[in-house]
Amino acid sequence: MAAQQEPGPPQEKGDQPEKGAQVAAWLKKIFGDHRIPQYEVNPRTTEILYHLSERNKARDRDVSLVIEDLKQKASEYESEAKHLQDLLMESVNFSPASLSSTGSRYLNALVDIAVVLETKDTSLTSFIPAVNDLTSDLFHTKSKNEEIKLELTKLENNLTGTLVLEKCLQEDLKKAEQHLSTERARVDHRLQNMDFLKAKSEEFRSGIKAAEEQLSARGMDASLSHQSLVALSEKLAELKRQTRPLKKKLESYLDLMPNPSLAQVKIEEAKRELDTIEAELTQKVEMMEL
C-alpha cells in the first residue's frame, strides 16, 4: 500500500488515525486473502474510503435484517404447513407420503399450476378467475400479435416499394452518369478543337502579319491589301448591280422601231456608258490580279 502524503482539505487530526485503521480493517475484510490494490493515502482518500465503509456496513446490517426476516417468515410458513398437514391427517387421515407415484405427480402438478397462476390456494374458486384472467391475457396477446402482423405486412410492402424505387433511382443515376460521361467527352473534344482552332487562328494571324510586313517592306501599295481588295470586290459587285438597269434599258432601246436616227443616238449613248463601266470594271479587276 503506497504511503504518499498529499495536502488535502482540513480534517480533524485526532480522527484520522482511527478512520485509517477502520478503512484498513474494512478493506482487509472486503478483499480477504487477495492483495489490496495500491492507492494514494491522504486525508481525502481516507475520508472517502471511510464513508464508503460506513455505507457498506449499513447496507450489510440492512441485508442481515432482511435475511433474518426471511428466515423468520420461512419458519412461520413451515410451522403453518406442518399445522395444515396435521389438520389434514386428523380430519381425513391423509398424508402426502401415503399417495402413489401418480397421485404425487398430480399433487405436484396442482401445486405448480397454483404457483404459476399465483392463486392463494388450490380451490376451484381460485382457479377459475385465474384461468379467465389468463384466457383474457391470451386473447389480448393474440390481438396484439395480429396488429403487429398487419403492421409488419405494411412495412414489408413499403420496404418493397422503397427497394423498387431505389433500384429505379440507381438505374437513372447510372444512365445520368453515362450521359454525363458522354457529354464530358464531347465537351473535351470540342475544347480540344477550339484550342486547335485558336492555335491555327493565331498562326494565320502571325502569317498574315508577317506577309503584310514583308509586302510593306517591298513597297506594296496599301490598296492591294486584303481589306482593300475585299472593299474593291464589294464595289465591283455594287457596280455590276448598277449596270443591270442600263443593260435592260439598252435592250429596251434595241426593241424600239420608230425614228431610227434617234434610236441610234440613244443606243450609242447607252453603249458608251456601258463601255465606260466595263472598262472601269476591267481596270479594277486587272489591278486586283496584279
Tab-separated table of all heavy atoms in Angstrom, residues 70-86:
chain	number	residue	atom	x	y	z
A	70	LEU	N	-36.614	-12.947	6.418
A	70	LEU	CA	-36.979	-14.049	5.524
A	70	LEU	C	-36.893	-15.392	6.233
A	70	LEU	O	-37.739	-16.283	6.024
A	70	LEU	CB	-36.072	-14.034	4.285
A	70	LEU	CG	-36.250	-12.846	3.328
A	70	LEU	CD1	-35.209	-12.912	2.206
A	70	LEU	CD2	-37.657	-12.844	2.727
A	71	LYS	N	-35.871	-15.546	7.063
A	71	LYS	CA	-35.752	-16.795	7.824
A	71	LYS	C	-36.943	-16.971	8.765
A	71	LYS	O	-37.503	-18.064	8.898
A	71	LYS	CB	-34.456	-16.799	8.624
A	71	LYS	CG	-33.212	-17.016	7.778
A	71	LYS	CD	-31.972	-17.032	8.654
A	71	LYS	CE	-30.707	-17.285	7.814
A	71	LYS	NZ	-29.488	-17.293	8.655
A	72	GLN	N	-37.333	-15.861	9.398
A	72	GLN	CA	-38.466	-15.932	10.312
A	72	GLN	C	-39.747	-16.292	9.561
A	72	GLN	O	-40.543	-17.124	10.011
A	72	GLN	CB	-38.627	-14.598	11.046
A	72	GLN	CG	-39.736	-14.603	12.092
A	72	GLN	CD	-39.827	-13.282	12.814
A	72	GLN	OE1	-39.010	-12.386	12.596
A	72	GLN	NE2	-40.811	-13.146	13.691
A	73	LYS	N	-39.941	-15.639	8.364
A	73	LYS	CA	-41.130	-15.957	7.579
A	73	LYS	C	-41.107	-17.403	7.099
A	73	LYS	O	-42.149	-18.088	7.093
A	73	LYS	CB	-41.223	-15.021	6.381
A	73	LYS	CG	-41.613	-13.600	6.770
A	73	LYS	CD	-41.742	-12.724	5.535
A	73	LYS	CE	-42.168	-11.310	5.935
A	73	LYS	NZ	-42.311	-10.420	4.762
A	74	ALA	N	-39.936	-17.882	6.698
A	74	ALA	CA	-39.828	-19.284	6.265
A	74	ALA	C	-40.178	-20.225	7.398
A	74	ALA	O	-40.868	-21.244	7.208
A	74	ALA	CB	-38.420	-19.561	5.753
A	75	SER	N	-39.700	-19.886	8.609
A	75	SER	CA	-40.038	-20.712	9.775
A	75	SER	C	-41.534	-20.694	10.034
A	75	SER	O	-42.143	-21.733	10.338
A	75	SER	CB	-39.264	-20.217	10.994
A	75	SER	OG	-39.604	-20.958	12.137
A	76	GLU	N	-42.134	-19.487	9.865
A	76	GLU	CA	-43.576	-19.395	10.065
A	76	GLU	C	-44.333	-20.205	9.027
A	76	GLU	O	-45.321	-20.878	9.340
A	76	GLU	CB	-44.009	-17.937	10.025
A	76	GLU	CG	-43.490	-17.108	11.193
A	76	GLU	CD	-43.848	-15.646	11.058
A	76	GLU	OE1	-44.455	-15.284	10.018
A	76	GLU	OE2	-43.529	-14.851	11.959
A	77	TYR	N	-43.873	-20.143	7.768
A	77	TYR	CA	-44.539	-20.904	6.722
A	77	TYR	C	-44.414	-22.414	6.973
A	77	TYR	O	-45.373	-23.179	6.751
A	77	TYR	CB	-43.943	-20.559	5.356
A	77	TYR	CG	-44.276	-19.163	4.874
A	77	TYR	CD1	-43.415	-18.468	4.016
A	77	TYR	CD2	-45.451	-18.530	5.279
A	77	TYR	CE1	-43.719	-17.191	3.576
A	77	TYR	CE2	-45.757	-17.251	4.845
A	77	TYR	CZ	-44.893	-16.586	4.008
A	77	TYR	OH	-45.200	-15.323	3.590
A	78	GLU	N	-43.233	-22.826	7.439
A	78	GLU	CA	-43.046	-24.239	7.736
A	78	GLU	C	-43.968	-24.686	8.873
A	78	GLU	O	-44.570	-25.774	8.827
A	78	GLU	CB	-41.584	-24.509	8.104
A	78	GLU	CG	-40.641	-24.416	6.909
A	78	GLU	CD	-39.190	-24.621	7.331
A	78	GLU	OE1	-38.962	-24.801	8.551
A	78	GLU	OE2	-38.307	-24.592	6.452
A	79	SER	N	-44.090	-23.834	9.891
A	79	SER	CA	-44.984	-24.164	11.006
A	79	SER	C	-46.428	-24.237	10.526
A	79	SER	O	-47.184	-25.147	10.910
A	79	SER	CB	-44.846	-23.111	12.110
A	79	SER	OG	-43.529	-23.071	12.612
A	80	GLU	N	-46.832	-23.273	9.674
A	80	GLU	CA	-48.194	-23.270	9.141
A	80	GLU	C	-48.442	-24.511	8.291
A	80	GLU	O	-49.515	-25.136	8.368
A	80	GLU	CB	-48.415	-22.004	8.324
A	80	GLU	CG	-49.822	-21.836	7.791
A	80	GLU	CD	-50.827	-21.557	8.897
A	80	GLU	OE1	-50.423	-21.145	10.002
A	80	GLU	OE2	-52.038	-21.745	8.640
A	81	ALA	N	-47.441	-24.901	7.466
A	81	ALA	CA	-47.598	-26.096	6.635
A	81	ALA	C	-47.711	-27.346	7.488
A	81	ALA	O	-48.537	-28.238	7.217
A	81	ALA	CB	-46.409	-26.217	5.687
A	82	LYS	N	-46.897	-27.401	8.545
A	82	LYS	CA	-46.981	-28.566	9.445
A	82	LYS	C	-48.330	-28.609	10.147
A	82	LYS	O	-48.941	-29.685	10.312
A	82	LYS	CB	-45.848	-28.490	10.472
A	82	LYS	CG	-45.718	-29.751	11.314
A	82	LYS	CD	-44.492	-29.650	12.207
A	82	LYS	CE	-44.324	-30.959	13.001
A	82	LYS	NZ	-45.504	-31.333	13.787
A	83	HIS	N	-48.822	-27.410	10.512
A	83	HIS	CA	-50.123	-27.354	11.171
A	83	HIS	C	-51.232	-27.821	10.229
A	83	HIS	O	-52.113	-28.607	10.617
A	83	HIS	CB	-50.390	-25.917	11.639
A	83	HIS	CG	-51.742	-25.714	12.233
A	83	HIS	ND1	-52.137	-26.290	13.440
A	83	HIS	CD2	-52.819	-25.003	11.794
A	83	HIS	CE1	-53.381	-25.955	13.709
A	83	HIS	NE2	-53.813	-25.143	12.712
A	84	LEU	N	-51.183	-27.346	8.966
A	84	LEU	CA	-52.195	-27.765	7.996
A	84	LEU	C	-52.106	-29.258	7.716
A	84	LEU	O	-53.130	-29.949	7.539
A	84	LEU	CB	-52.031	-26.963	6.703
A	84	LEU	CG	-52.339	-25.463	6.802
A	84	LEU	CD1	-51.997	-24.773	5.482
A	84	LEU	CD2	-53.796	-25.227	7.161
A	85	GLN	N	-50.894	-29.770	7.672
A	85	GLN	CA	-50.716	-31.200	7.418
A	85	GLN	C	-51.277	-32.026	8.584
A	85	GLN	O	-51.910	-33.064	8.371
A	85	GLN	CB	-49.229	-31.500	7.216
A	85	GLN	CG	-48.965	-32.939	6.801
A	85	GLN	CD	-47.487	-33.165	6.467
A	85	GLN	OE1	-46.695	-32.234	6.520
A	85	GLN	NE2	-47.139	-34.383	6.156
A	86	ASP	N	-51.044	-31.526	9.795
A	86	ASP	CA	-51.595	-32.229	10.957
A	86	ASP	C	-53.116	-32.204	10.931
A	86	ASP	O	-53.781	-33.215	11.254
A	86	ASP	CB	-51.080	-31.584	12.255
A	86	ASP	CG	-49.584	-31.805	12.435
A	86	ASP	OD1	-49.045	-32.741	11.793
A	86	ASP	OD2	-48.942	-31.022	13.169
